[in-house]
């Protein structure tokens, strides 16, 4: 079959919807071509209510900081994405938000290629309230990885500082504040204030180890210990924080972006609860838990939730991830339709909860301020389903919530972005002893066909499940049972596929309090 261009593929035409497949090979993976013009009548795939980069490319989120009553959100941005070649490489771009749903672009904050060290990779920003680094009280200090010569032991940590609230930064010389000790992977510093010991602490990705360091002034760092975990690939973007459960229990959490696919595990955010003494992290269990079981929640960060008066809520954190995967990072219809590649998950609220067996875990829910952006609510009530029931609703971006109950059943769920003839759709729900999202029935970025259905555990003896599913033009995010498990997945349904249906397998179920909500930013 003759390969169609992406522009023709995603135009939303009946021909494209019936016949096209995602392009494969180098042409799909190397966007070295003139920058697209999104004003050509092409169908638009920019997300309706998720954060997207204004143009070009974004990948890893960088942990937001709270300044002057708003969150300042940095992320890796390549302004030369469409040029490719020697122009590759990221800067830090800034956006601000008061509610973590609607963002205002503030442009590039930490530029690339302004020193001999080249572009700027992942790291973290902190507000130096007491001025420990010598740049003044309230200065924003960034620690980020740079790799000057791309050599095997070139990665090191460099410092940038800002006295205008993080809008513009100055480099602190061209020497690293934490040089490479001679290892290949030495990156993604996550810096926190260790209040118990009155100093700064850093978690650093070092291959299959997370190294811990401490500093009094953010400029000189001392190695304190490490945490090693084999079998999850190269660990990236570490995270370290403390959170308190409703029962008063406080836990340290160590998180990493990890690739567990070889072991049948997710390729998202693995975490352990435990204790941290400033140099060693001791996990409660050897095996990690996962903050997302989908295919596309990578480079994730968590950050403090600030109350209206600016104080930090110890029982809730926010979290957000890059809605993409390095296995197919350049495959998306937004490149040609809208001139960009880069979407984030919805910001979540994370809470520490306890199972009946005594295990603590992190539960996720969409940020509550999403409620402030509801523009339409469709209440469908209680619906009895035996087989497939097509609903009287159509849309490309919305939220669906319901509680499914049954006496005897094999599986149940929802068909999202359903085509008129029912041949194309994304399925989300439960089957036997697992919850799932299946994107096989819609265009999606995985041309290998290997990563089409994500799974998380489910106990069928409960005979009930609560689903909350966020659907946008290129994504599906499912929250199961109040966020005990989540699945975030890229999907590229044709824009003419707007239907919604409920389904059961092997029995009858009641979909109680079925509600659809739409959002406007």
């Amino acid at each position: 079959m003759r390969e169609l261009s992406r522009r023709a593929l995603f135009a939303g035409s009946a021909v494209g919807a019936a016949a096209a497949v995602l392009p494969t090979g180098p042409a799909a993976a190397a966007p070295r071509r003139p920058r697209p013009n999104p004003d050509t009548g092409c169908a638009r795939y920019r997300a309706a209510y998720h954060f997207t980069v204004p143009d070009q490319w974004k990948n890893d989120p960088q942990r937001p900081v709270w300044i002057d009553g708003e969150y300042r959100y940095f992320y890796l941005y390549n302004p030369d994405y469409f040029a490719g070649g020697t122009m590759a490489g990221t800067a830090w771009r800034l956006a601000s938000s008061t509610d973590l749903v609607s963002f205002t672009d503030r442009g590039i904050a930490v530029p690339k290629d302004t020193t001999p060290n080249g572009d700027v990779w992942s790291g973290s920003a902190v507000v130096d309230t007491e001025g420990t680094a010598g740049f003044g009280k309230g200065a924003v200090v960034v620690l980020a990885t740079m790799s000057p010569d791309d050599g095997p032991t070139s990665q090191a940590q460099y410092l940038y500082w800002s006295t205008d609230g993080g809008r513009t930064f100055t480099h602190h010389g061209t020497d690293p504040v934490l040089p490479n000790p001679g290892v290949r992977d030495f990156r993604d510093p996550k810096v926190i204030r260790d209040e118990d010991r009155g100093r700064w602490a850093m978690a650093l990705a070092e291959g299959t180890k997370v190294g811990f360091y401490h500093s009094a002034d953010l400029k000189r760092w001392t190695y304190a210990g490490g945490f090693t975990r084999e079998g999850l690939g190269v660990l990236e973007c570490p995270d370290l924080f403390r959170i308190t459960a409703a029962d008063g229990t406080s836990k340290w959490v160590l998180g990493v972006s990890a690739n567990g696919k070889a072991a049948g595990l997710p390729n998202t955010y693995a975490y352990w609860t435990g204790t941290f003494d400033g140099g060693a992290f001791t996990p409660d269990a050897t095996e990690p838990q996962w903050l997302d079981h989908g295919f596309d929640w990578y480079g994730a960060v968590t950050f403090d939730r600030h109350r209206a008066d600016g104080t930090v809520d110890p029982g809730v954190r926010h979290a957000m991830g890059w809605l993409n995967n390095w296995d197919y990072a350049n495959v998306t219809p937004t490149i040609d339709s809208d001139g960009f590649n880069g979407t984030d998950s919805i910001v979540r609220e994370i809470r520490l909860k306890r199972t009946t067996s005594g295990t603590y875990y992190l539960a996720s829910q969409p940020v509550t301020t999403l409620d402030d952006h509801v523009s339409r609510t469709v209440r469908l009530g209680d619906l009895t389903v035996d087989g497939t029931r097509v609903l009287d609703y159509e849309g490309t971006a919305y939220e669906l919530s319901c509680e499914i109950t049954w006496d005897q059943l094999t599986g149940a769920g929802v068909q999202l972005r359903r085509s008129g003839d029912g041949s194309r759709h994304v399925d989300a729900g439960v089957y036997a002893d697992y919850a799932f999202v299946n994107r096989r029935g819609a265009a999606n970025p995985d041309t290998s066909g290997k990563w089409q259905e994500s799974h998380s555990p489910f106990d069928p003896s409960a005979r009930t499940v609560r689903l909350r599913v966020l659907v946008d033009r290129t994504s599906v995010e499912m929250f199961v049972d109040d966020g005990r498990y989540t699945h975030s997945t890229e999907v590229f349904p044709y824009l003419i596929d707007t239907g919604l249906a409920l389904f059961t397998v092997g029995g009858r179920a009641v979909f109680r309090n079925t509600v659809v909500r739409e959002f406007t930013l």
Side-chain angles (χ1 to χ4, degrees), residues 385-388 404-414 427-436 458 460 463 465 467 502-511:
V385 180
D386 190 353
T388 301
I404 310 173
T405 62
W406 62 88
D407 291 325
Q408 185 174 356
L409 194 70
T410 303
V414 294
D427 295 347
V430 296
Y431 187 89
D433 61 353
Y434 59 87
F436 71 92
F458 176 72
R463 296 196 297 276
V465 65
L467 299 182
L502 312 178
F503 72 87
T504 65
V505 179
R508 176 181 297 179
V510 178
F511 288 68

Side-chain angles (χ1 to χ4, degrees), residues 254-517:
L254 176 65
V256 291
S257 283
N259 186 350
K261 288 193 297 187
L265 297 170
N267 179 23
T268 58
Y269 181 108
Y271 72 91
W272 296 261
T273 62
T275 60
F276 177 65
D277 66 4
F281 177 85
T282 303
D284 293 332
T286 302
E287 293 303 311
Q289 301 184 71
W290 297 82
L291 203 47
D292 199 285
H293 285 256
F295 301 118
D296 303 303
W297 203 72
Y298 201 75
V301 293
T302 71
F303 53 103
D304 290 333
R305 180 197 186 191
H306 289 265
R307 304 183 182 97
D309 63 0
T311 58
V312 174
D313 185 342
V316 184
R317 283 183 75 80
H318 290 123
M320 63 196 305
W322 179 42
L323 265 174
N324 209 334
N325 188 310
W326 283 116
D327 284 0
Y328 41 71
N330 294 303
V331 182
T332 170
T334 63
I335 295 173
D336 289 326
S337 67
D338 299 88
F340 80 94
N341 181 357
T343 302
D344 283 341
S345 74
I346 206 72
V347 175
R348 304 176 181 180
E349 294 179 355
I350 305 294
R351 290 174 171 82
L352 182 67
K353 295 188 176 184
R354 183 179 183 271
T355 66
T356 55
S357 63
T359 300
Y360 284 89
Y361 67 93
L362 299 178
S364 303
Q365 285 289 353
V367 65
T368 55
T369 48
L370 186 61
D371 296 344
D372 299 333
H373 295 270
V374 175
S375 57
R376 181 189 179 204
T377 301
V378 181
R379 302 185 186 279
L380 300 172
D382 297 345
L383 303 171
T384 300
V385 180
D386 190 353
T388 301
R389 179 169 178 171
V390 179
L391 303 182
D392 186 20
Y393 174 82
E394 293 185 353
T396 59
Y398 54 88
E399 171 201 86
L400 170 74
S401 61
C402 63
E403 181 177 9
I404 310 173
T405 62
W406 62 88
D407 291 325
Q408 185 174 356
L409 194 70
T410 303
V414 294
Q415 292 182 346
L416 311 162
R417 301 295 304 276
R418 192 175 190 268
S419 63
D421 63 2
S423 64
R424 297 182 303 276
H425 43 80
V426 180
D427 295 347
V430 296
Y431 187 89
D433 61 353
Y434 59 87
F436 71 92
V437 173
N438 188 312
R439 62 186 180 183
R440 186 173 290 110
N444 68 77
D446 176 31
T447 57
S448 73
K450 295 179 180 178
W451 318 113
Q452 297 291 335
E453 183 173 279
S454 57
H455 289 180
S456 63
F458 176 72
D459 180 6
S461 68
R463 296 196 297 276
T464 184
V465 65
R466 291 179 299 279
L467 299 182
R468 186 176 181 185
V469 189
L470 302 185
V471 179
D472 215 327
R473 294 189 181 109
T474 59
S475 64
V476 169
E477 295 171 90
M478 179 175 72
F479 298 77
V480 182
D481 285 337
D482 300 324
R484 174 66 177 93
Y485 298 104
T486 63
H487 297 242
S488 298
T489 298
E490 273 192 315
V491 290
F492 307 145
Y494 302 108
L495 294 180
I496 59 172
D497 292 351
T498 59
L500 175 63
L502 312 178
F503 72 87
T504 65
V505 179
R508 176 181 297 179
V510 178
F511 288 68
R512 301 188 184 280
N513 193 27
T514 305
V515 177
V516 176
R517 302 195 303 174

Side-chain angles (χ1 to χ4, degrees), residues 142-144 156-159 172 175-179 202 218-221:
V142 161
L143 275 294
Q157 317 321 313
Y158 295 81
L159 188 150
H172 178 60
D175 293 331
V177 295
L178 181 57
M202 176 196 292
L218 295 168
K219 297 176 180 176
R220 291 172 289 271
W221 293 89

